[in-house]
């Protein structure tokens, strides 16, 4: 499948802190940028029908319920069968769409995709994958929250799936894969880490050893693998640190007339740096290992992040990431 092929993505109109406004804005921008994109917009009829009627290549799919961020994910998915998240995943399962994007509840998206779309045969646990914001180079990490409790063999599949995503979507040729640990030596870390190291060494192409925490932002490795609990803590720590540093830098640069003049001189460079470490650039985190594309955006996503998330979902379909994972991992 190429960029010229038409792709249909189901989009949760009610996903995120600023829905539906930013979602509609982001979808409109995505449709304008990709002339071979079709969108199934899922949400309350009064939201999706007027938008679809005024935008070509957009189909309204009414859904009467919304899963809130604070609800128990699995319970909400089972109880709210007509929620925008459940209906969106069902559209993929039934073949009405090839991918699903939402900036709503991450837990609900994971539950709905796993239960509704289903896993690729042979995949033990789907993994949530993300590009860690780094000013040096993109760093792909998995798992970042789908599996808090893992077995060592799960990490082998996480590495294999994340490597395919890194190569085909992020554009990293021959990605170097590392296991997140507390030291470089293969004898370091917990029993779990040592067992994972041994399995990855034997089964993961491109595996180069252990990565320490200070190797992440410096992009020493292209793909870093860990359990979902650790990965989620790392991701939020990095994102929080980046935000705090830029907020502090903004305070310094606007503290006096002299610094304001200096800020004007480097305004473009600062924006480029900020964009390079922004989570909005990649639009969200794909759930790798389910039998269809599912990408989850930040709850705080703006219109740009929504646009990028929808376009990234279409890109994953065109590059057949699901099929490549099924071929590489599902047979095992």
């Amino acid at each position: 499948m190429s960029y010229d092929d038409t792709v249909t993505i189901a989009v949760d109109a009610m996903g995120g802190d600023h829905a539906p406004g930013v979602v509609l804005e982001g979808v409109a921008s995505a449709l304008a940028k990709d002339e071979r994109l079709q969108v199934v917009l899922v949400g309350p009829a009064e939201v999706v029908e007027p938008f679809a009627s005024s935008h070509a290549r957009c189909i309204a799919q009414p859904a009467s319920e919304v899963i809130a961020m604070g609800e128990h994910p699995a319970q909400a998915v089972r109880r709210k069968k007509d929620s925008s998240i459940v209906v969106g995943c069902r559209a993929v399962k039934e073949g009405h769409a090839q991918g699903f994007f939402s900036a709503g509840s991450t837990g609900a998206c994971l539950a709905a995709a796993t239960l509704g779309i289903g896993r690729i045969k042979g995949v033990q646990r789907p993994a949530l994958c993300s590009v860690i914001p780094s000013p040096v180079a993109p760093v792909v990490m998995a798992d970042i929250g789908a599996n808090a409790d893992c077995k060592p063999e799960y990490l082998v599949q996480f590495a294999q799936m994340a490597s395919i995503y890194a190569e085909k979507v992020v554009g990293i040729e021959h990605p170097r894969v590392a296991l997140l640990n507390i030291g470089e030596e293969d004898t370091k870390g917990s029993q779990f880490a040592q067992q994972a190291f041994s399995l990855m060494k034997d089964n993961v192409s491109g595996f180069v050893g252990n990565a320490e925490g200070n190797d992440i932002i410096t992009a020493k490795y292209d793909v870093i693998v860990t359990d979902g609990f650790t990965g989620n803590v790392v991701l939020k720590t990095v994102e929080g640190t980046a935000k705090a540093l830029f907020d502090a830098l903004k305070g310094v640069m606007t503290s006096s007339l002299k610094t304001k003049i200096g800020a004007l001189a480097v305004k473009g460079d600062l924006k480029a740096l900020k964009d390079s470490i922004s989570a909005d650039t990649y639009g969200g985190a794909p759930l790798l290992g389910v039998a269809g594309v599912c990408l989850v955006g930040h709850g705080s996503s703006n219109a740009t992040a929504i646009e990028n998330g929808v376009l990234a979902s279409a890109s994953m379909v065109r590059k057949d990431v699901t099929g490549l994972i099924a071929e590489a991992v599902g047979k095992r």
Side-chain angles (χ1 to χ4, degrees):
M1 181 173 283
S2 70
Y3 186 82
D4 293 331
D5 292 313
T6 297
V7 169
T8 302
I9 303 298
V11 178
D12 175 13
M14 304 308 292
D17 300 337
H18 309 295
V22 297
V23 178
L24 301 183
E25 185 181 345
V27 168
S29 296
L31 287 167
K33 285 194 174 180
D34 186 346
E35 295 181 354
R36 305 298 291 176
L37 171 69
Q38 294 181 342
V39 169
V40 175
L41 191 61
V42 188
E46 63 271 20
V47 172
V48 301
E49 289 178 349
F51 182 90
S53 66
S54 61
H55 290 79
R57 294 177 281 114
C58 183
I59 301 169
Q61 176 57 64
S64 61
E65 299 174 302
V66 176
I67 296 177
M69 290 290 192
E71 294 187 71
H72 187 282
Q75 292 177 5
V77 165
R78 291 189 176 94
R79 188 176 67 253
K80 293 185 173 181
K81 300 294 186 184
D82 199 43
S83 64
S84 53
I85 290 176
V86 173
V87 173
C89 288
R90 189 185 305 145
V92 178
K93 176 69 173 180
E94 295 177 351
H96 303 304
Q98 296 150 290
F100 173 65
F101 172 79
S102 174
S105 165
T106 299
C109 289
L110 301 184
T114 303
L115 296 172
I117 300 174
R119 286 179 290 169
I120 293 170
K121 186 176 181 180
V123 171
Q124 295 174 301
R125 292 289 189 278
L128 201 59
C129 182
S130 182
V131 178
I132 298 292
S134 168
V136 179
V139 179
V140 175
M141 178 174 280
D143 181 20
I144 59 155
N147 305 276
D149 298 303
C150 289
K151 295 179 180 179
E153 53 265 33
Y154 295 172
L155 270 62
V156 172
Q157 290 194 339
F158 295 171
Q160 293 166 340
M161 295 189 293
S163 294
I164 291 170
Y165 175 76
E167 183 173 356
K168 299 300 179 181
V169 179
V170 183
I172 303 171
E173 294 186 8
H174 310 297
R176 299 159 298 164
V177 183
L179 172 69
L180 188 61
N181 207 333
I182 59 172
E184 292 185 352
E185 299 83 0
D186 57 5
T187 56
K188 286 293 183 71
S190 63
Q191 184 178 2
F192 168 82
Q194 292 178 40
Q195 290 175 351
F197 183 100
S198 179
L199 289 171
M200 290 175 68
K201 182 179 179 181
D202 293 337
N203 295 283
V204 176
S205 175
F207 181 66
V208 294
N210 285 328
E212 297 183 83
N214 56 4
D215 295 325
I216 298 173
I217 299 301
T218 57
K220 185 175 180 180
Y221 306 102
D222 303 308
V223 175
I224 294 180
V225 180
T226 186
D227 62 275
F229 182 92
T230 304
N232 191 268
V233 171
V234 169
L235 177 66
K236 290 178 178 176
T237 300
V238 170
E239 290 179 343
T241 301
K243 184 179 184 305
L245 286 175
F246 263 94
D247 287 346
L249 181 60
K250 183 179 179 181
V252 171
M253 300 298 275
T254 58
S255 61
S256 69
L257 178 60
K258 180 176 68 175
T259 57
K260 286 178 181 178
I261 294 172
L264 285 174
V266 296
K267 182 178 180 181
D269 294 325
L270 288 175
K271 185 181 185 304
L273 177 60
K274 186 176 182 180
D275 289 344
S276 73
I277 64 172
S278 171
D280 296 343
T281 302
Y282 294 92
L287 181 62
L288 304 177
V290 292
V293 169
C294 177
L295 198 140
V296 186
H298 273 269
S300 59
S301 291
N302 56 25
T304 299
I306 298 293
E307 174 194 327
N308 289 338
V310 175
L311 294 175
S313 300
S315 176
M316 288 183 66
V317 172
R318 290 190 175 105
K319 293 175 180 177
D320 193 26
V321 171
T322 300
L324 292 171
I325 289 174
E327 182 178 351
V329 180
K331 291 181 178 179
R332 295 180 182 274

